[in-house]
């Protein structure tokens, strides 16, 4: 399979780079910039992309590369810091920009490069830099410029080395996807062949090869990821898969029963349901720090699976629905930043009583997981289920977790989701939920003074969940939701709507 290696220099858009490449039908993976050269050769990429990053290329501790990477004969595209590093290593120089460019900037290319094939000469591109190329080494030339940046894009055609100061992966760059396609197809000669229809057979074969004659215990949460993982593994190993559904008492309203019914009816599996609400709430009592919540929940999941595995008999593998953004957000080494620990990545205890963890979706983005689910024959209502974090409502309650707070949040969240569906927005709004804050404020109901909780509503629209824009829900809808929640749910007297995008916020509050 043809593939691209994305070397990460800590840029905020690193996952977007990978996501856009896959949207072009080419498989890619993100690795830290300091990946050893022998490992790069073993990965055998057909092309390499350097991401942007927060460092300044001429600083003493700036990330560097083995210069031998440029002698591998592979096409390379450097983005922002990636371009600057390429020039710095290959005989050119960089400087602090006389005119720093941030946001939408008009760029003009000269029409001579394959990188801009078929693209309007002048259009809007997304810039984010305070450093620029001052001079280029032998073999390089400028192929695009802005008012304030002479080397907005460069090429060394003979060696297939390209650099852009802008970010083609960001949707604000009007022709960003076309530029990536030109690099992948016209310059690298790669084919559009990465699809879930093509991948499903390979994924099943990989699972069979890894599991062999062993047995698998699946951590089933009922969300999209674990449901698709279950369907894939069931196709691969059949009755040697046992699904354990742990109801940790942190699910949405009626969700435990709905999940159990849906999985049994849809997949025909024997689902072992473990009601462990008391155990989880006991462990979480008094815990307010979000990372600690995630760690506790992750460890309890594993311990319950160990216990259930002993009842079932010999179990060789523990399966999880970990997906690619989970892995990258939890940190990859190098200059990558840990955004938040995911309970199925960072929350695993050091000692796990299984031969190995198997994560069949570990390489996939969320939309790829949904596509795979359709290819595996799962019904649309299950595949398009609202995203729900493994720690559940524990990270949608700010502060300590109590049964009373869970009850309040379940009822409020159910009303919000019901009204979104009634308005016909349940597909266009990619994720929506309620958050019970730890803030109480004064209110008045009837003739009585109240002192109750503030509830936050969150709704976002996104293509990949690595960036997200807050959804402009109709005022009439928000009014209906607010009136219903305050009127029907006890102990809430104030509703707020979160109008923060990602970044700077994350989708979840904790």
């Amino acid at each position: 399979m043809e593939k691209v290696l994305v070397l990460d220099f800590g840029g905020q858009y690193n996952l977007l780079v990978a996501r856009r490449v896959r949207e072009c039908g080419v498989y890619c993976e993100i690795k830290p910039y300091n990946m050893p050269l022998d490992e790069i050769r073993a990965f055998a990429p057909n092309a390499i992309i350097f991401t942007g990053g927060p460092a300044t290329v001429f600083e003493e501790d700036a990330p560097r590369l083995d210069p031998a990477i440029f002698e591998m004969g592979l096409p390379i595209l450097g983005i922002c810091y990636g371009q600057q590093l390429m020039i710095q290593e290959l005989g050119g120089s960089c400087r602090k920009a006389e005119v720093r460019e941030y946001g939408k900037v008009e760029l003009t290319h000269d029409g001579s490069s394959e990188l801009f094939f078929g693209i309007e000469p002048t259009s809007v591109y997304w810039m984010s830099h305070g450093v620029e190329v001052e001079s280029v080494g032998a073999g390089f030339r400028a192929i695009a410029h802005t008012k304030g940046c002479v080397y907005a894009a460069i090429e060394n055609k003979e060696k297939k080395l390209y650099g852009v100061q802008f970010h083609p992966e960001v949707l604000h760059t009007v022709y960003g996807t076309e530029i990536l396609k030109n690099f992948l197809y016209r310059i690298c000669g790669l084919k559009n062949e990465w699809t879930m229809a093509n991948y499903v057979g390979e994924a099943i074969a990989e699972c069979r090869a890894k599991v062999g004659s062993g047995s698998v215990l699946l951590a089933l949460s009922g969300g999209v990821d674990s449901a698709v993982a279950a369907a894939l593994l069931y196709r691969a190993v059949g009755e040697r898969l046992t699904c354990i559904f742990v109801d940790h008492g942190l699910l949405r309203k009626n969700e435990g029963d709905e999940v159990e019914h849906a999985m049994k009816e849809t997949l025909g599996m024997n689902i072992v349901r473990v009601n462990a609400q008391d155990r989880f709430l006991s462990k979480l009592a008094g815990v307010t720090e979000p990372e600690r919540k995630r760690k506790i929940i992750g460890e309890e999941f594993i311990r319950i699976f160990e216990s259930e595995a002993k009842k079932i008999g010999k179990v060789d593998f523990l399966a999880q629905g970990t997906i690619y953004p989970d892995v990258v957000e939890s940190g990859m080494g190098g200059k990558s930043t840990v955004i938040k620990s995911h309970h199925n990545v960072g929350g695993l205890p050091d000692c796990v009583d299984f031969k190995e963890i198997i994560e069949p979706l570990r390489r996939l983005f969320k939309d790829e997981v949904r596509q795979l689910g359709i290819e595996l024959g799962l019904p649309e209502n299950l595949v398009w289920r609202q995203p729900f974090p493994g720690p559940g409502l524990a990270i949608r309650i700010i502060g300590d977790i109590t049964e009373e707070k869970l009850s309040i949040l379940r009822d409020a969240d159910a009303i919000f989701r019901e009204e979104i569906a009634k308005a016909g927005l349940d597909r266009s709004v990619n994720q929506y939920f309620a958050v019970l804050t730890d803030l109480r404020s004064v209110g008045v109901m009837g003739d009585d003074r109240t002192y109750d909780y503030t509830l936050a509503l969150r709704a976002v629209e996104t293509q990949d969940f690595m960036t997200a824009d807050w959804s402009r829900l109709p005022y009439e809808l928000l009014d209906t939701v607010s009136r219903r929640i305050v009127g029907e749910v006890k102990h809430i007297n104030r509703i707020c709507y979160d109008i923060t995008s990602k970044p700077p916020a994350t989708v979840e509050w904790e």
Side-chain angles (χ1 to χ4, degrees):
M1 177 176 63
E2 295 176 330
K3 54 191 173 182
V4 171
L5 173 63
V6 178
L7 290 181
D8 172 29
F9 288 88
Q12 61 178 314
Y13 303 129
N14 58 2
L15 264 168
L16 271 182
V17 175
R19 187 67 210 95
R20 298 294 176 250
V21 171
R22 291 199 192 178
E23 285 175 355
C24 295
V26 178
Y27 180 73
C28 69
E29 289 187 23
I30 302 172
K31 301 291 184 182
Y33 75 91
N34 54 3
M35 182 181 186
L37 203 62
D38 58 345
E39 292 184 18
I40 293 176
R41 292 192 180 99
F43 184 78
N46 299 90
I48 299 174
I49 296 177
F50 301 157
T51 73
T56 301
V57 66
F58 39 72
E59 291 177 350
E60 185 176 343
D61 61 346
R64 292 282 186 264
L65 286 165
D66 186 334
I69 196 170
F70 298 107
E71 304 302 322
M72 294 178 67
L74 295 173
I76 297 176
L77 173 64
I79 298 173
C80 198
Y81 180 87
Q83 173 189 262
Q84 297 159 15
L85 179 63
M86 180 188 296
I87 289 302
Q88 196 83 352
E89 293 288 345
L90 296 177
S93 64
C94 297
R95 65 182 179 190
K96 288 187 176 180
E98 294 181 5
V99 179
R100 300 197 304 173
E101 295 176 318
Y102 293 99
K104 295 179 180 180
V105 176
E106 196 172 78
L107 176 147
T108 300
H109 69 85
D110 63 14
S112 66
S113 173
E114 289 283 273
L115 194 65
F116 290 94
F117 176 82
I119 292 173
E120 291 293 324
T122 301
S123 55
V124 171
Y125 293 71
W126 185 263
M127 291 283 193
S128 180
H129 70 99
V131 174
E132 65 181 5
V133 174
E134 180 178 32
S135 65
V136 295
F140 283 94
R141 68 185 185 94
I143 54 176
H145 68 275
T146 68
K147 185 177 180 180
C149 182
V150 175
Y151 296 102
I154 57 169
E155 77 167 2
N156 182 325
K157 186 175 181 180
E158 180 184 355
K159 293 188 175 181
K160 294 187 177 182
L161 302 178
Y162 292 79
V164 294
Q165 185 60 70
F166 57 87
H167 289 272
E169 71 275 17
V170 176
L171 291 177
H172 300 300
T173 296
V174 176
Y175 293 103
T177 298
E178 287 77 7
I179 288 169
L180 287 174
K181 285 181 177 179
N182 284 340
F183 176 70
L184 296 169
Y185 304 157
R186 302 186 68 85
I187 293 169
C188 303
L190 303 179
K191 296 183 288 294
N192 182 345
E193 61 182 8
W194 170 255
T195 66
M196 290 302 99
N198 292 336
Y199 176 66
V200 63
E202 178 186 333
I204 291 170
E206 282 183 2
C207 289
R208 284 177 180 159
K210 186 163 187 175
V211 174
S213 60
S215 55
V216 184
L217 185 66
L218 173 70
L220 180 66
S221 70
V224 175
D225 302 336
S226 65
V228 174
L232 179 61
L233 284 164
Y234 190 63
R235 287 273 294 271
V237 303
E239 298 303 319
R240 286 182 286 123
L241 169 67
T242 300
C243 291
I244 305 294
F245 170 41
V246 176
D247 185 347
H248 49 24
L250 305 169
L251 299 173
R252 292 171 287 202
K253 191 170 185 178
N254 301 323
E255 193 161 33
D257 295 337
E258 291 172 1
V259 166
E260 185 177 21
H261 176 77
M263 297 305 291
K264 283 183 176 179
E265 293 297 320
T266 302
L267 298 177
M269 293 182 181
N270 178 31
I271 308 297
V272 178
R273 180 173 177 175
V274 182
N275 294 310
Q277 295 92 328
D278 293 343
R279 177 169 172 173
F280 277 90
L281 287 179
S282 174
K283 291 285 185 177
L284 290 167
V287 177
T288 60
E289 205 276 318
E291 283 292 282
R292 183 64 184 143
K293 290 179 186 177
R294 290 176 177 272
K295 298 287 186 181
I296 289 171
I297 292 167
E299 180 163 344
E300 286 307 299
F301 262 101
I302 297 298
R303 295 304 168 222
I304 290 172
F305 290 141
E306 287 176 338
S307 176
E308 292 301 318
K310 291 173 182 175
K311 297 177 186 176
I312 293 167
K314 185 177 183 296
V315 176
D316 302 295
F317 295 90
L318 170 66
Q320 297 185 144
T322 308
I323 64 174
Y324 203 38
D326 296 343
V327 176
V328 178
E329 283 195 336
S330 294
M332 299 176 59
K335 288 288 181 180
S336 294
T337 301
V338 176
I339 299 171
K340 59 186 176 184
S341 296
H342 288 262
H343 79 286
N344 51 355
V345 181
L348 295 177
D350 295 332
C351 179
V352 180
D353 191 20
F354 302 95
K355 180 191 295 184
E356 194 174 348
I357 300 275
I358 183 169
E359 297 169 318
L361 310 181
R362 188 179 178 89
R363 294 189 290 171
L364 304 183
F365 287 92
K366 175 68 81 173
D367 61 323
E368 292 173 324
V369 172
R370 294 191 195 278
Q371 293 165 15
L372 181 60
I374 296 297
E375 293 294 332
L376 289 166
L378 289 172
E380 286 200 5
N381 66 327
L382 190 60
V383 170
W384 287 99
R385 191 180 186 88
Q386 268 286 296
F388 192 58
L393 299 182
I395 57 169
R396 292 181 180 174
I397 294 176
I398 310 302
D400 64 323
I401 314 297
T402 67
E403 186 56 57
E404 180 188 44
K405 288 182 179 179
L406 286 167
S407 179
I408 293 170
L409 182 55
R410 283 194 188 99
D411 289 342
D413 181 75
I415 290 171
F416 187 36
R417 290 188 289 120
E418 179 184 331
E419 292 298 333
I420 289 276
K422 282 183 181 179
L425 298 174
D426 49 324
R427 284 290 184 89
S428 59
V429 181
N430 302 102
Q431 190 166 358
Y432 45 93
F433 54 90
V435 176
L436 186 63
T437 76
D438 203 26
L439 175 67
R440 291 193 176 197
S441 63
V442 174
V444 59
M445 291 185 179
D447 295 324
D448 294 329
R449 175 188 184 276
T450 62
Y451 189 67
D452 279 325
Y453 289 108
T454 297
L455 184 84
L457 302 177
R458 179 75 159 143
V460 300
E461 295 170 20
T462 176
Q463 288 191 336
D464 46 43
F465 287 91
M466 297 316 304
T467 62
D469 195 16
W470 63 275
S471 182
R472 275 66 171 173
L473 296 181
Y475 288 155
E476 294 79 6
L477 172 60
L478 290 171
D479 180 58
T480 299
V481 172
S482 178
R483 289 176 183 273
R484 280 198 60 192
I485 290 175
V486 172
E488 298 175 30
V489 182
K490 293 181 178 180
H491 304 300
I492 294 176
N493 67 0
R494 194 177 298 271
I495 309 288
C496 296
Y497 187 50
D498 184 347
I499 59 169
T500 319
S501 294
K502 175 184 180 179
T506 54
V507 175
E508 298 288 345
W509 274 39
E510 290 194 339

